Amino acid sequence: MIGRLQGQLVHADPPSHLIVDVGGVGYEVEAPTSVFFELPELNQPITLVIHHLVREDASILYGFRSFPQRDLFRTLLKVNGIGAKSALAILSTMSSAEFAQVIQEQNVNAIVKVPGIGKKTAQRLIIEMKDKVDVTSMDPGDPNQPQASRFGIQAEAESALQALGFKPIEAAQMVKQVAKDDMSAEQIIRECLQMKGAG
């Protein structure tokens, strides 16, 4: 089983696909959107922690920037109703520490903002994950990210921008750039559209 890849980044296709060349072999890797914010330039060195999923019809590599992030991904896969796609969506929308805080706060509204996660699945996540996550042990992710209590508003703004035709990674970058603690989702969306129009 592959647990780690170290090579050159030769292709990046946000929001989830990239290729790492290791000794002349190109490995296709699926990764959460957060990984793409930290990618080097093409043909530069990259190291990813890997979860290797083997099925009857496929062998899939999932790449992460840290072991805690991969551990959370693996824990999420054990929750009934959560597959690899949903687990990636969760890690694409919030950091490990933010997710842990959302679970501790039993914030169902924040979790249902994740694409593909309904209310029943969110409730199941809270029940099954509450004893498995700890804010102090989680990878904090980007220190400039909003706190978990702000996650729902940020996710709502990103979803709205995607509905308006922006790509997921573009919407996330725009929201991150303009979002402030005292802003509503509507204000964030308006600022993003004004910024895009000015650009």
Side-chain angles (χ1 to χ4, degrees):
M1 301 292 283
I2 298 173
R4 182 173 175 269
L5 284 180
Q6 185 171 11
Q8 286 187 325
L9 177 69
V10 295
H11 180 74
D13 183 19
S16 63
H17 299 283
L18 52 89
I19 298 177
V20 179
D21 184 294
V22 182
V25 178
Y27 290 89
E28 290 191 3
V29 180
E30 293 194 26
T33 305
S34 56
V35 169
F36 284 80
F37 291 119
E38 301 180 357
L39 289 180
E41 298 293 328
L42 292 181
N43 301 313
Q44 294 300 308
I46 185 173
T47 300
L48 293 172
V49 181
I50 299 295
H51 173 75
H52 189 182
L53 179 64
V54 179
R55 302 193 314 230
E56 291 183 2
D57 60 342
S59 178
I60 306 172
L61 303 179
Y62 296 94
F64 306 94
R65 61 196 179 97
S66 67
F67 285 99
Q69 193 176 44
R70 184 186 68 176
D71 291 344
L72 177 55
F73 177 81
R74 289 177 168 176
T75 303
L76 286 167
L77 292 181
K78 297 176 183 177
V79 176
N80 185 31
I82 297 293
K85 184 177 180 179
S86 295
L88 271 188
I90 291 170
L91 294 177
S92 292
T93 316
M94 63 184 100
S95 71
S96 302
E98 287 174 331
F99 176 75
Q101 190 169 345
V102 165
I103 293 297
Q104 288 189 356
E105 293 176 351
Q106 301 186 33
N107 191 341
V108 173
N109 291 332
I111 299 174
V112 297
K113 297 295 184 182
V114 177
I117 303 292
K119 187 173 182 179
K120 288 185 177 179
T121 302
Q123 292 170 334
R124 188 183 306 119
L125 265 172
I126 289 173
I127 293 171
E128 296 192 27
M129 296 291 291
K130 64 181 180 180
D131 297 325
K132 298 177 182 178
V133 295
D134 177 8
V135 172
T136 60
S137 66
M138 286 294 180
D139 175 15
D142 185 346
N144 295 319
Q145 285 285 342
Q147 295 298 312
S149 59
R150 297 291 303 162
F151 161 70
I153 291 175
Q154 179 182 344
E156 183 178 348
E158 289 181 18
S159 297
L161 289 168
Q162 290 176 37
L164 292 172
F166 293 99
K167 293 181 179 180
I169 191 168
E170 183 180 15
Q173 288 173 333
M174 291 166 62
V175 169
K176 181 179 177 181
Q177 187 172 344
V178 307
K180 294 181 176 61
D181 288 348
D182 59 347
M183 293 175 68
S184 67
E186 291 76 12
Q187 289 173 322
I188 294 173
I189 295 165
R190 187 162 54 248
E191 287 287 336
C192 287
L193 294 175
Q194 288 177 351
M195 178 183 67
K196 194 67 179 178

